[in-house]
Amino acid sequence: MNPIGWRVRIAMPGIWGDVMAIKPKRPWVLLRGLGREGRHWGEFPLRLSDELGGIAVLTPDLPGNGRRWKERSALSVADQCAVVRAEFEGVLAQGPVNVLAISLGGMVALEWAGHYPEEIKRLVLVNTSLAGLAPFWRRVRWQRYPALLSLLGRGRDRREAAILNLLSNSGQARAMALDSWQRWQAEAPVSKRNLLRQLAAAARYRPPANWPPMPCLLLASERDRLVDPYCSHALAAATDWPLHLHPSAGHDLPLDDAVWLAKSVAQWARK
């Protein structure tokens, strides 16, 4: 196993594994959001790899989540970005990567692309919100504040069920994911302290002074019940990046419609 432990879709149909080097095609790096880990991408990495002809897809974890659950979450997005870049030092030595990120992961990706544009070839941001472009009550819908606060007082299994209800609009997707999400939380529990540290980093983050120069795509869920899609519209207006909307998915777009997400990214990447 490689030292980082990425889950990788190798460019050979039907094979999953770990690799030390990714070549010749540049891989896609997927960054998850608040309190989530690489396994929460579900079937999406496989779908994306297939749509792009077998390109490797890597799913690292931010400190405090997943394989890194014992680590302390960084209090700033910049520090989270530094951890990701350090992990990918060997891959980046071969050339830039493509990055797709959701929610808090989108802030890390934007920080990365803004300060180190030579390391990222293409950037896709999913349901991402930024201070300065949208008010706090749109970045997290004010109607969800009681539900979010209640998460800290719930037991592990009830907390995962409540999180699923916040993130997904698909009853079928929630039913299929619940057992796995509860098991992953038992295996790699995200502490309440780390959740609060990640929330603080997201709340304080401000985007780079200059928008990244590489091709960027914005994707958002029109019926996101956690983050108002206004945030993605505001980002599109500020940057002139293309924005595509899913008509029915929730905040966790990869969970609710992995096929639509993979096809949207692949169609744009082939242009």
Side-chain angles (χ1 to χ4, degrees):
M1 179 176 289
N2 67 63
I4 303 171
W6 296 316
R7 293 179 185 86
V8 179
R9 174 66 159 92
I10 301 176
M12 294 176 62
I15 297 178
W16 283 82
D18 298 306
V19 293
M20 291 297 294
I22 306 297
K23 60 182 181 182
K25 294 182 178 180
R26 303 312 301 152
W28 279 80
V29 176
L30 310 184
L31 298 177
R32 262 285 177 175
L34 178 72
R36 304 293 89 184
E37 58 162 276
R39 288 180 289 187
H40 286 101
W41 288 107
E43 68 176 23
F44 174 68
L46 178 60
R47 296 281 187 181
L48 181 62
S49 179
D50 285 344
E51 288 289 339
L52 293 171
I55 291 177
V57 177
L58 313 179
T59 59
D61 295 322
L62 296 177
N65 304 329
R67 306 167 192 86
R68 311 185 72 139
W69 68 273
K70 293 182 180 180
E71 300 178 24
R72 181 176 295 181
S73 295
L75 274 172
S76 74
V77 168
D79 286 344
Q80 292 171 346
C81 176
V83 171
V84 174
R85 291 184 61 246
E87 287 193 353
F88 281 91
E89 183 178 3
V91 175
L92 292 170
Q94 302 177 46
V97 295
N98 304 288
V99 178
L100 181 149
I102 183 169
S103 196
L104 172 61
M107 300 178 201
V108 177
L110 189 58
E111 178 75 6
W112 188 359
H115 291 287
Y116 306 95
E118 71 281 1
E119 296 180 356
I120 296 183
K121 185 177 180 180
R122 287 180 178 270
L123 176 64
V124 180
L125 302 178
V126 180
N127 289 328
T128 295
S129 66
L130 297 172
L133 293 181
F136 72 90
W137 48 271
R138 286 188 184 269
R139 296 187 66 202
V140 175
R141 291 181 184 271
W142 64 268
Q143 298 95 329
R144 305 294 169 245
Y145 292 173
L148 289 171
L149 290 173
S150 73
L151 293 178
L152 297 176
R154 294 175 183 261
R156 182 183 299 148
D157 286 352
R158 291 184 62 207
R159 183 165 64 243
E160 287 301 300
I163 290 172
L164 259 175
N165 286 333
L166 282 172
L167 299 183
S168 172
N169 289 347
S170 169
Q172 181 180 10
R174 293 196 300 269
M176 293 179 64
L178 180 58
D179 286 347
S180 295
W181 282 32
Q182 290 175 337
R183 183 176 71 256
W184 298 337
Q185 180 62 204
E187 294 171 352
V190 181
S191 70
K192 294 176 182 179
R193 176 177 293 182
N194 274 338
L195 279 175
L196 291 172
R197 291 174 71 89
Q198 291 172 39
L199 276 170
R204 297 187 301 174
Y205 178 65
R206 298 294 185 275
N210 297 315
W211 297 112
M214 75 287 297
C216 300
L217 173 67
L218 302 176
L219 297 170
S221 304
E222 200 164 12
R223 294 184 59 197
D224 188 335
R225 292 178 293 118
L226 182 64
V227 175
D228 195 321
Y230 169 90
C231 300
S232 291
H233 283 283
L235 182 55
T239 59
D240 204 30
W241 294 337
L243 169 63
H244 297 170
L245 295 173
H246 190 289
S248 60
H251 185 69
D252 198 328
L253 183 49
L255 175 64
D256 279 2
D257 201 339
V259 173
W260 182 91
L261 181 57
K263 288 183 179 296
S264 296
V265 173
Q267 183 179 16
W268 170 76
R270 286 193 290 263
K271 291 181 180 178

